[in-house]
Amino acid sequence: MGTRLLGDTGPEVSSLGLGAMGMSGAYGEADRDESIATVHAALEAGVTLIDTGDFYAMGHNELLLAEALRGRNRDSYRLSVKFGMLAGPGRGPSGPDGRPEAVKNFLGYSLTRLGTDHIDIYRPGRLDPAVPIEETVGAIKDMVDAGYVRHIGLSEVDAATIRRAHAVHPIADLQIEYSLISRAVEAEVLPTLRELGIGLTAYGVLGRGLISGHWTAGHTAGPGDSRAAGPRFAPGNVEHNLALVDALREVAATKGCTVAQLAIAWVAARGEDIVPLVGARTRERLAEALPALEVELSADDLAEIEKAVPAGSARGDRYPAAYMPGLGVGN
């Protein structure tokens, strides 16, 4: 497993990170024992970056990771934690809370649930439109100064917000969706990150499974699977999007790899300042993802991939309409 630096000021992490959200029911029921075994397998393979959120199943994900990481050398992994999405019993997210007093409150709960004395990268899950980003980042800076946080990150914000946040305290990385079918970051956000020396951790590199090669026409999301409300999985859109996957599969065949491996390799090839996160929740899916780092893509390969899945070719927004206004960029 190689390593990459998250920006000019961020930590050195594995070239591939593990996103743990799916282990807490986001895509339907997950097997607790298998989830923990997957975390262990990732660590043993050299994965050091583990991403979670305090709002993933109302703290369930943090508690799960605490169990999986118990007894491990704390310096052998890096925890990336998102915070601030409000919710309640029987309902989904109701909006972000980026108030300084809330930031410190959220952090206290996360430290306790995770069983650790510090968070490596702490970031608001979404921008709170009612609170200037300077105040939110300023509160995290206080926690950096106090030793509870090592680095500050952002998630799903636009270029202007990145600049404002970075002026308060150096930002290590931006976490944002980036894949063959979600490329809006390329216009303004990615150039801004590179100008400022900020890394990018890319989630959704397999389009929530849509371009993994495992989603098929006629497949329906099961109980509790958030993809049931995903516009790209909706009838009329999903058939079009799966046709893109079929075209991508032909390119993968010439490279001797799977569609998933090709999609991950494409993101990794966009720059050494980008770390793809894979949301594997089973050892089988993790084992498929890991060899993606060995797939070398030539200029001709990249051209063939671009031909198979041109920028902007996916149908449907990447989130349901109610959530789109809270994103820094669109599709």
Side-chain angles (χ1 to χ4, degrees):
M1 178 69 67
T3 61
R4 295 186 173 190
L5 288 173
L6 283 182
D8 293 344
T9 64
E12 183 178 27
V13 299
S14 51
S15 299
L16 191 71
L18 179 67
M21 182 182 73
M23 298 177 181
S24 292
Y27 301 137
E29 187 175 355
D31 182 286
R32 184 180 187 85
D33 291 340
E34 180 61 25
S35 294
I36 291 174
T38 301
V39 174
H40 291 169
L43 293 169
E44 289 156 12
V47 173
T48 62
L49 179 63
I50 302 175
D51 180 76
T52 184
D54 66 7
F55 46 88
Y56 291 169
M58 304 298 288
H60 174 278
N61 202 240
E62 291 181 321
L63 292 169
L64 178 73
L65 287 178
E67 184 177 347
L69 296 170
R70 189 170 296 127
R72 300 272 174 169
N73 182 334
R74 183 61 183 85
D75 293 330
S76 67
Y77 60 88
R78 302 286 178 264
L79 285 172
S80 167
V81 179
K82 294 182 290 298
F83 70 87
M85 296 300 291
L86 300 176
R91 63 187 178 90
S94 60
D97 187 349
R99 295 171 301 139
E101 59 269 33
V103 171
K104 298 172 184 180
N105 179 74
F106 290 133
L107 176 60
Y109 278 112
S110 284
L111 291 170
T112 299
R113 283 190 293 257
L114 287 164
T116 185
D117 62 358
H118 71 277
I119 303 298
D120 296 288
I121 313 169
Y122 200 52
R123 70 184 81 243
R126 291 290 186 272
L127 180 68
D128 184 344
V131 179
I133 190 62
E134 291 85 354
E135 294 184 14
T136 302
V137 171
I140 308 175
K141 178 183 182 298
D142 290 344
M143 297 294 93
V144 172
D145 294 341
Y148 295 115
V149 172
R150 295 288 189 265
H151 303 278
I152 301 178
L154 298 171
S155 177
E156 286 289 355
V157 295
D158 60 17
T161 301
I162 294 167
R163 292 184 184 280
R164 290 169 56 194
H166 193 65
V168 176
H169 186 278
I171 301 299
D173 71 318
L174 170 71
Q175 186 176 121
I176 198 163
E177 187 167 356
Y178 189 29
S179 73
L180 276 166
I181 59 172
S182 294
R183 297 176 58 177
V185 299
E186 294 175 346
E188 295 184 5
V189 168
L190 190 52
T192 299
L193 296 178
R194 288 175 169 162
E195 174 192 336
L196 299 176
I198 299 172
L200 187 152
T201 50
Y203 77 88
V205 294
L206 297 179
R208 297 172 181 80
L210 181 58
I211 58 172
S212 67
H214 299 295
W215 195 277
T216 57
H219 180 80
T220 56
D225 191 330
S226 61
R227 290 174 291 191
R232 289 180 174 170
F233 293 86
N237 289 342
V238 70
E239 294 83 1
H240 169 86
N241 295 332
L242 288 176
L244 300 176
V245 178
D246 288 338
L248 192 62
R249 186 176 282 108
E250 294 182 12
V251 182
T254 67
K255 296 296 296 181
C257 66
T258 69
V259 174
Q261 289 164 356
L262 189 66
I264 297 167
W266 181 87
V267 175
R270 305 309 282 178
E272 289 291 322
D273 52 352
I274 298 173
V275 176
L277 295 173
V278 294
R281 54 180 179 161
T282 67
R283 285 168 288 180
E284 179 182 5
R285 291 289 180 258
L286 175 68
E288 180 184 11
L290 290 173
L293 298 175
E294 302 169 10
V295 178
E296 297 183 5
L297 299 176
S298 67
D300 288 343
D301 294 330
L302 293 172
E304 288 301 311
I305 292 171
E306 186 77 23
K307 188 185 303 182
V309 187
S313 58
R315 283 187 186 170
D317 289 335
R318 57 190 179 100
Y319 277 93
Y323 297 110
M324 290 299 291
L327 304 178
V329 297
N331 292 321

